[in-house]
Amino acid sequence: MKRAACTALSLLLIASASVAQNKPRQLKPGFNLFSKEQDVQVGKEAAAEVEKQMEIVKNDQLQAYVRKLGTRLWSQPEADKYPYEIRAVNESAINAFALPGGQMFVHTGLITAADNEGQLAGVLAHEISHVALRHGTNQVSKANLIQLPAMLAGSLAGQSIWGQLTQLGIGIGANSLLLKYSRNAERDADLLGTRILAKAGYDPVEMARFFEKLEAESGSGRGLQFFSSHPNPGNRVKAVQAEIQLLPPPRPSPETGQFAQAKEIVKKLPAPKKVPQAAPGSGQPSGDIKPSARFTEYRGGFFTVSRPENWEAFPSQDGKSVTIAPRAGIVQDQGGQVAIGAGFLVNQRDASSGRVDLRRDTDALIKEIVASNRDMKLEQSSSSRWNGEEVIITRLTSPSPLKGETEIDTVMTFARSSGLVFIIMVTPQSAERDLQPAFDTMLRSLQLPR
Ligand code: ZN
């Protein structure tokens, strides 16, 4: 008996030891010079700025819906009791963002793009996690070690922190440190988001599924705004599923039942009125688009190409397309859509009928590109040789999304058995000389098996 009890006890110990190893990883905010109160203050000041520049949807029912959804999520202990607030803004780009301290904005484009309430809740839970883990002010702290302590001490006297941050060059624009997260921050926001969603009764896999769907479409530019501030940490569905295994069994609760209605409201809204000036992902490039002289290899699904080290790759999930661009070259155009002002795109499309015909399929492609870009003009199109094979090079011009610039788009097309492969090199006219050598290096490095 004694012996049996002993064995049972040791089995118990083994069991609890293995549970301990598989406990959910502890997630804590990192280094930060701001206090939590200062997170709240800076978020409120920045939100007032955003409200001036974006169009808040004037529909109480829709606002009540997103608040209801938000409340279900941020009332979970993992959200760390910040004074969260959310508003829907009339914006067609698929995005949502959260400022420090819990000021959240959800684009109507996200409501349109989500397949179900779980996906919408998923993005919000991910954003809430950035707030709770204080990723925004963590990054600002790390980047401004010298100036910040004195500045934040001064703000105790009632000065606006936001005003001072803008003097440090930290805005709410394209490259704002407050909203541009690292891959590690993304991974942690997915994990904490998973815990929040599970407790609130949503299936966390929907969050990962939505991000993957968005990624798959990002070659078309639809999800670029989101991914330019939230880089894909990779293997999202798997990571979420592994995390779910470590959590107590979920307690499913009914959805609000108002998701379809919210979509209907969005459908009937007028087109966005205000031109966003400084919404995240928009505005003038605050950084440099100039490519560095150092290159690194990028492997796509069917090609490899070298990219300048300071230009990032935004691949689509299927690997069929990639946009390689400097962050400062990705901006929001006047219609609120994300546009590439400088960059190198690789993509592939099926032949219009049966086998690829280089001339016919190129003409069809160029027609499509011209039709979908306002005021784009075809300047010239001619056959050329590249590595011993025939290619077509087409030069297009259009108004650049970068202020006051004309854009030059050079399209190169290649016939492959799998379809028409095309490369688009995008540059503002004034930077053509700076970018051309990099484009040349990229073209020379391009491996495009037949
Ligand atoms: Zn994120």
Side-chain angles (χ1 to χ4, degrees):
M1 197 61 209
K2 211 174 173 184
R3 181 172 287 216
C6 234
T7 315
L9 187 67
S10 63
L11 277 177
L12 206 70
L13 283 173
I14 291 165
S16 61
S18 69
V19 166
Q21 274 168 3
N22 286 322
K23 268 209 313 223
R25 185 158 62 83
Q26 206 191 350
L27 296 169
K28 281 189 301 195
F31 168 76
N32 211 311
L33 292 169
F34 292 73
S35 65
K36 284 170 93 170
E37 291 71 27
Q38 284 172 325
D39 270 22
V40 173
Q41 190 190 334
V42 74
K44 284 195 171 152
E45 289 167 359
E49 204 54 43
V50 173
E51 285 191 353
K52 279 187 220 155
Q53 290 165 359
M54 297 185 94
E55 187 191 333
I56 308 293
V57 175
K58 286 186 197 65
N59 182 300
D60 293 343
Q61 210 182 342
L62 188 72
Q63 297 295 2
Y65 172 68
V66 293
R67 212 174 305 122
K68 184 171 185 176
L69 205 54
T71 307
R72 279 188 172 195
L73 302 165
W74 65 58
S75 58
Q76 306 304 327
E78 286 80 2
D80 209 11
K81 295 198 175 69
Y82 281 92
Y84 286 93
E85 283 182 69
I86 190 169
R87 32 315 217 184
V89 289
N90 198 4
E91 277 291 323
S92 54
I94 304 169
N95 205 4
F97 59 100
L99 296 163
Q103 299 293 322
M104 299 175 65
F105 295 82
V106 53
H107 286 200
T108 46
L110 172 61
I111 298 170
T112 305
D115 294 326
N116 53 51
E117 187 167 277
Q119 294 188 346
L120 179 57
V123 179
L124 299 187
H126 175 99
E127 295 295 341
I128 287 170
S129 302
H130 282 309
V131 171
L133 295 171
R134 309 185 62 204
H135 287 148
T137 47
N138 163 257
Q139 295 184 127
V140 172
S141 298
K142 283 191 288 192
N144 298 277
L145 285 175
I146 298 171
Q147 310 92 315
L148 260 184
M151 211 197 79
L152 291 171
S155 73
L156 291 177
Q159 280 175 287
S160 147
I161 309 181
W162 179 244
Q164 298 185 63
L165 284 183
T166 52
Q167 282 171 22
L168 290 180
I170 296 159
I172 34 179
N175 293 296
S176 175
L177 275 172
L178 284 174
L179 295 164
K180 204 172 87 178
Y181 306 109
S182 67
R183 269 175 230 280
N184 283 339
E186 284 307 296
R187 198 166 296 128
D188 287 357
D190 277 3
L191 286 189
L192 195 65
T194 297
R195 296 173 197 172
I196 291 172
L197 287 164
K199 280 208 180 151
Y202 291 98
D203 178 2
V205 176
E206 288 297 338
M207 169 182 67
R209 236 177 242 149
F210 180 73
F211 287 146
E212 295 203 338
K213 168 182 134 160
L214 203 55
E215 179 93 39
E217 291 172 8
S218 67
S220 64
R222 284 187 16 109
L224 266 183
Q225 191 177 25
F226 184 83
F227 289 114
S228 73
S229 39
H230 303 260
N232 183 3
N235 292 323
R236 293 188 111 135
V237 170
K238 266 193 200 148
V240 167
Q241 280 166 338
E243 181 69 11
I244 293 172
Q245 297 303 315
L246 306 179
L247 301 178
R251 178 186 51 82
S253 61
E255 298 195 348
T256 61
Q258 294 159 14
F259 178 68
Q261 209 176 357
K263 272 181 122 83
E264 278 307 308
I265 294 172
V266 169
K267 215 186 265 176
K268 288 180 191 139
L269 288 177
K273 258 180 266 155
K274 282 190 199 170
V275 175
Q277 289 300 320
S282 81
Q284 295 314 306
S286 50
D288 200 351
I289 60 171
K290 212 173 158 180
S292 75
R294 289 171 50 170
F295 284 74
T296 177
E297 186 176 77
Y298 173 79
R299 277 175 185 281
F302 65 95
F303 61 91
T304 59
V305 67
S306 293
R307 64 170 173 87
E309 275 184 348
N310 64 338
W311 284 23
E312 282 180 58
F314 302 93
S316 68
Q317 204 188 6
D318 60 8
K320 283 204 175 150
S321 68
V322 66
T323 300
I324 293 170
R327 290 215 171 212
I330 301 174
V331 293
Q332 201 169 33
D333 70 12
Q334 296 201 327
Q337 293 295 322
V338 171
I340 310 292
F344 186 98
L345 290 73
V346 186
N347 208 336
Q348 178 174 260
R349 53 184 255 148
D350 296 336
S352 51
S353 68
R355 269 176 63 99
V356 176
D357 177 303
L358 185 61
R359 178 42 78 182
R360 184 197 62 205
D361 288 309
T362 298
D363 287 347
L365 171 73
I366 298 298
K367 226 171 152 183
E368 241 175 64
I369 294 175
V370 170
S372 56
N373 286 277
R374 209 161 39 89
D375 296 330
M376 184 171 263
K377 286 192 197 77
L378 172 63
E379 300 288 338
Q380 186 189 332
S381 184
S382 57
S383 289
S384 184
R385 310 289 298 173
W386 175 81
N387 279 352
E389 73 167 293
E390 190 194 358
V391 297
I392 296 177
I393 298 176
T394 307
R395 196 176 156 96
L396 304 155
T397 56
S398 63
S400 169
L402 304 176
K403 198 177 175 186
E405 286 274 3
T406 296
E407 174 176 303
I408 298 169
D409 303 283
T410 310
V411 185
M412 233 172 123
T413 43
F414 311 77
R416 288 291 175 273
S417 52
S418 50
L420 185 77
V421 173
F422 60 99
I423 282 169
I424 309 179
M425 290 162 275
V426 186
T427 175
Q429 198 161 29
S430 69
E432 195 180 12
R433 271 192 190 190
D434 287 334
L435 267 55
Q436 197 56 52
F439 289 151
D440 289 344
T441 304
M442 294 172 90
L443 280 176
R444 270 199 304 277
S445 72
L446 183 69
Q447 299 280 333
L448 214 55
R450 281 160 195 270

